[in-house]
């Protein structure tokens, strides 16, 4: 089965689930940056509740979570499936919650939620960014631009967090030569700074996979690679990483 037929069949099946009002393709396949082995990221948008059992009943191999099974925040669950030899991720999206986050983003308000596999956590406006980049397959969805108020409010929040983490790494781990702890915190702070940089540019973030590269912080790899478990080396790491991130943010602002 070719990709177009595959996507059409899957979209039809998902759109037919009770409560689902729209289906969208996201990720690299929506943006045209995918590889041949990239996952297919699909979101189902629903109102007034959704029963994951109806997705299980289709019979596709894989794991289907309950609502809230992936943390209970804006990233509120989904499924990892294998359909016709292809890896498919399905994300649950409550339209009432998404529309609330859209209104919050337009007012410049957001929060940061922890999510497994994400160093910096995720901003609540992630689900708004998904709408902006998605390819809508079934139904109708808003297609928001990056809100000016969010572009003003998000960078200082993200940078404020990053700066505190850089300082903590320097004061509490670098001076003791704690390589793993110090480099871990530098990676967290750089990811937070990358969010600040992309928000300053008005660019949506929907995951961390290419976050540092997009923000112009790829040189962090080289800084981490030469770090050694000595106070002098780790202090240089923190200071150089912070200087790199601050410079990129200033250039974006």
């Amino acid at each position: 089965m070719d990709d177009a037929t595959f996507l059409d069949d899957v979209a039809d099946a998902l759109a037919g689930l009770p409560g689902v009002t729209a289906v969208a393709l996201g990720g690299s396949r929506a943006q045209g940056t995918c590889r041949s082995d990239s996952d297919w990221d699909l979101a189902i948008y629903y109102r007034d509740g959704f029963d994951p059992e109806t997705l299980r009943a289709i019979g596709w191999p894989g794991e289907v979570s309950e609502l809230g099974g992936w943390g209970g925040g804006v990233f509120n669950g989904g499924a990892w499936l294998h359909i016709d030899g292809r890896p498919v991720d399905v994300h649950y999206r409550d339209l009432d919650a998404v529309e609330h986050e859209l209104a919050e983003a337009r007012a410049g308000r957001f929060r940061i939620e922890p999510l497994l596999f994400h160093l910096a956590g995720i901003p609540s406006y992630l689900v708004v960014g998904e709408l902006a980049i998605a390819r809508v397959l079934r139904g109708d969805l808003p297609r928001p631009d990056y809100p000016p108020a969010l572009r003003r409010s998000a960078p200082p929040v993200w940078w404020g967090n990053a700066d505190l983490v850089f300082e903590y790494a320097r004061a509490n781990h670098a001076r003791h030569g704690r390589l793993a702890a110090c480099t871990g915190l530098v990676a967290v702070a750089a990811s937070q700074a990358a969010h600040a940089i992309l928000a300053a540019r008005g660019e949506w973030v929907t995951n961390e996979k290419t976050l540092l590269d997009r923000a112009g912080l790829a040189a962090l790899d080289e800084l981490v690679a030469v770090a050694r478990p000595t106070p002098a080396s780790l202090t240089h790491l923190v200071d150089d990483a912070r200087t790199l991130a601050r410079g990129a943010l200033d250039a974006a602002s």
Side-chain angles (χ1 to χ4, degrees), residues 205-217:
V205 175
T206 57
N207 61 59
E208 286 189 347
K209 291 177 182 176
T210 60
L211 182 59
L212 296 180
D213 286 347
R214 288 180 60 197
L217 303 182

Side-chain angles (χ1 to χ4, degrees), residues 7-192:
L7 186 58
D8 202 46
D9 288 351
V10 173
D12 279 343
L14 294 175
L17 296 175
V20 173
T21 63
V23 178
L25 175 69
S28 61
R29 292 195 178 272
Q31 298 176 78
T33 59
C34 59
R35 304 184 308 269
S36 60
D37 62 344
S38 293
D39 292 351
W40 294 78
D41 294 311
L42 294 161
I44 52 176
Y45 291 83
Y46 61 88
R47 288 197 192 276
D48 302 321
F50 171 72
D51 184 359
E53 192 58 39
T54 62
L55 178 55
R56 294 189 187 99
I58 293 176
W60 289 324
E63 299 180 20
V64 179
S65 85
E66 297 302 320
L67 292 179
W70 291 356
V74 293
F75 219 82
N76 69 328
W80 292 309
L81 304 172
H82 206 69
I83 306 172
D84 192 43
R86 297 168 171 90
V88 177
D89 294 343
V90 177
H91 300 158
Y92 306 151
R93 294 290 179 262
D94 183 330
L95 260 176
D96 289 338
V98 170
E99 289 169 353
H100 170 75
E101 298 305 339
L102 174 55
E104 289 288 281
R106 285 173 171 162
R109 295 189 294 265
F110 71 101
R111 64 191 180 281
I112 300 168
E113 299 179 351
L115 184 66
L116 198 61
F117 316 131
H118 289 68
L119 289 169
I122 60 170
S124 51
Y125 56 78
L126 178 146
V127 293
V128 182
E130 289 178 338
L131 293 175
I133 69 169
R135 176 182 160 196
V136 180
L137 304 176
R138 300 290 184 274
D140 295 306
L141 291 169
R143 305 307 300 273
D145 294 326
Y146 205 102
L150 186 64
R151 192 169 177 175
R152 291 190 298 270
S153 67
V157 172
W158 282 112
W159 178 253
N161 290 349
D163 209 24
L164 288 172
V165 175
F166 278 131
E167 180 54 34
Y168 189 91
R170 193 181 199 280
N172 294 283
H173 293 302
R175 68 191 185 96
H176 297 292
R178 296 172 183 150
L179 180 64
C182 189
T183 55
L185 286 182
V186 165
V188 170
S191 298
Q192 293 167 326

